[in-house]
Amino acid sequence: CGVPFSKRFYMPHKPAKYYYSIDYSHVHLVVLSTEFQPIWEASNKQLRWLEQDLAAVDRSITPWIVVSGHRPLYISDYHSDRVKLSGLQKRVLEPLFQKYDVSISFWGHIHNYERTCKVLYGKCVDKGPVSVLVGTGGKQTTPQYFARAQPAWSVRRHSAYGYGNVTVTRDTFDFQFVDSKDGTVQDHFTLHRN
């Protein structure tokens, strides 16, 4: 997890930053570090950078804002430490996600798949980001980590190796979660710009 990627992959900034953003087609993609500097700490430079970055997005060019990080924002997990970290991240990120109308967020770390409704502050809402956990590409999946009771904000949970397919136009953001074993689509949703 975390730091070694900067030595193995091309990074858009030199020297490598552990958080950055890029524009690609209709998407403004923000990559956050959830490992290197805890984003919930008041002195965190990353959080100040994030607000400046989101404020500068030109929605006429990049109508979709996608945020990504390693440790998930929403998980229906029974491990209290992971739920606590998720809560710390939500406390600082959700106000910014709401203020700047973040479209969707992608996360990893937990070796399962889980998608939320449009969610803010633990409640399904008409206008808010969808949170997607796609931690199913490496180590064995861990269905035993799902809490028995599925929260109201958790729309779909799946525990098998898989990957996501994303198709983006100016007006739609389409996502499919595909099971690697048999190629079946286990989840699919489309977001529409207002």
Side-chain angles (χ1 to χ4, degrees):
C1 300
V3 177
F5 74 91
S6 67
K7 303 295 182 200
R8 301 187 94 179
F9 299 103
Y10 167 79
M11 299 304 295
H13 305 284
K14 298 291 180 190
K17 291 183 183 178
Y18 299 113
Y19 53 91
Y20 57 92
S21 67
I22 59 172
D23 291 337
Y24 183 79
S25 185
H26 303 296
V27 175
H28 180 75
L29 173 64
V30 178
V31 177
L32 299 176
S33 171
T34 60
E35 305 296 306
F36 183 63
Q37 299 171 321
I39 197 161
W40 54 85
E41 291 179 355
S43 63
N44 192 295
K45 292 178 186 176
Q46 181 180 197
L47 189 59
R48 290 190 301 276
W49 167 85
L50 176 61
E51 176 138 31
Q52 292 170 351
D53 180 78
L54 293 175
V57 174
D58 183 344
R59 296 308 273 271
S60 68
I61 297 170
T62 52
W64 299 100
I65 297 177
V66 177
V67 175
S68 179
H70 182 71
R71 292 185 187 267
L73 200 60
Y74 275 90
I75 50 169
S76 60
D77 192 294
Y78 75 85
H79 279 280
S80 60
D81 288 347
R82 292 197 290 242
V83 171
K84 179 183 175 187
L85 286 175
S86 166
L88 291 169
Q89 289 184 155
K90 281 188 272 197
R91 187 184 53 159
V92 297
L93 292 177
E94 283 192 305
L96 294 177
F97 285 12
Q98 183 176 23
K99 181 176 181 180
Y100 296 105
D101 192 22
V102 169
S103 313
I104 189 167
S105 60
F106 289 99
W107 311 94
H109 189 65
I110 311 301
H111 297 274
N112 289 313
Y113 172 81
E114 185 166 27
R115 171 174 61 97
T116 70
C117 55
K118 292 180 181 180
V119 63
L120 285 168
Y121 310 106
K123 306 268 188 221
C124 293
V125 293
D126 292 332
K127 186 174 180 178
V130 172
S131 182
V132 182
L133 167 67
V134 185
T136 56
K139 189 179 174 185
Q140 73 184 44
T141 57
T142 50
Q144 69 273 20
Y145 292 156
F146 281 133
R148 289 186 191 263
Q150 188 168 352
W153 49 257
S154 177
V155 174
R156 178 75 169 105
R157 302 192 299 187
H158 189 69
S159 190
Y161 292 117
Y163 57 91
N165 280 332
V166 176
T167 304
V168 180
T169 69
R170 177 169 289 290
D171 298 318
T172 61
F173 191 106
D174 189 79
F175 180 84
Q176 293 181 335
F177 177 72
V178 180
D179 189 304
S180 294
K181 185 175 182 179
D182 59 14
T184 57
V185 175
Q186 294 296 318
D187 191 26
H188 175 248
F189 64 94
T190 303
L191 301 176
H192 300 271
R193 288 303 305 161
N194 300 340

